[in-house]
Amino acid sequence: MANVYYGRGYVYSIQYHIVWCVKYRHKILTNQIEQKLREILNNIAENNKFKILLMNTDLDHIHLLIECSPQHYIPNIIKALKGVSARLLLKEFPELKEKLWGGHLWNPSYFIATVSENTEEQIKQYILSQKEK
């Protein structure tokens, strides 16, 4: 069940399911790159004061279940997650630039959906199943 938080004069429980893909759907999120990506995304979440409750990748996309406050602006969260992770991964793994023309790691689009108490468990199972295919 989702956590409920108390702010000054308000109560909230906000979760989002976020998915985005590698540019051109290239299958580059292998073990070492995935491990570094997880570390980077967790640091971004910590620095921006939101939580990543669940994260899983397939070779060409990533799924996150995040929890944030009403003060968070989703486009800023996405920009931080995708922008910072791309910059740091391309710096650490310069060979990625050879596979991705133009030096863009992520596809510019993304999927986002709100998560409710009714859908939370279903979404968690879906995210966890991503590598099973």
Side-chain angles (χ1 to χ4, degrees):
M1 178 147 161
N3 292 322
V4 174
Y5 298 96
Y6 298 85
R8 209 174 156 154
Y10 57 94
V11 180
Y12 66 92
S13 175
I14 302 172
Q15 293 183 347
Y16 294 101
H17 176 202
I18 304 171
V19 184
W20 70 86
C21 300
V22 174
K23 187 88 170 180
Y24 313 116
R25 296 297 296 247
H26 282 300
K27 298 183 182 318
I28 60 161
L29 299 179
T30 54
N31 294 341
Q32 191 179 11
I33 293 169
E34 178 192 353
Q35 188 175 345
K36 186 64 178 178
L37 174 61
R38 287 175 176 275
E39 179 185 314
I40 290 167
L41 295 178
N42 281 316
N43 287 338
I44 293 166
E46 188 177 324
N47 292 339
N48 289 279
K49 296 180 175 43
F50 65 89
K51 293 179 186 168
I52 296 176
L53 302 176
L54 194 56
M55 179 183 338
N56 205 359
T57 68
D58 204 347
L59 292 171
D60 63 356
H61 67 279
I62 183 163
H63 287 261
L64 299 177
L65 178 62
I66 70 162
E67 184 173 73
C68 61
S69 75
Q71 286 75 20
H72 283 97
Y73 180 56
I74 291 302
N76 288 349
I77 288 177
I78 302 291
K79 184 178 178 182
L81 290 167
K82 291 173 71 177
V84 174
S85 65
R87 184 171 43 81
L88 295 176
L89 285 173
L90 290 169
K91 183 178 177 183
E92 182 150 342
F93 303 98
E95 65 274 14
L96 289 175
K97 290 179 187 170
E98 297 166 16
K99 296 177 183 175
L100 301 161
W101 324 289
H104 297 287
L105 180 60
W106 304 120
N107 184 304
S109 60
Y110 59 91
F111 166 83
I112 188 160
T114 54
V115 177
S116 71
E117 288 181 29
N118 297 334
T119 60
E120 181 182 11
E121 200 52 45
Q122 184 180 0
I123 290 169
K124 283 181 178 179
Q125 291 307 314
Y126 176 72
I127 291 172
L128 290 171
S129 74
Q130 285 306 293
K131 284 198 173 130
E132 294 175 6
K133 295 175 182 169

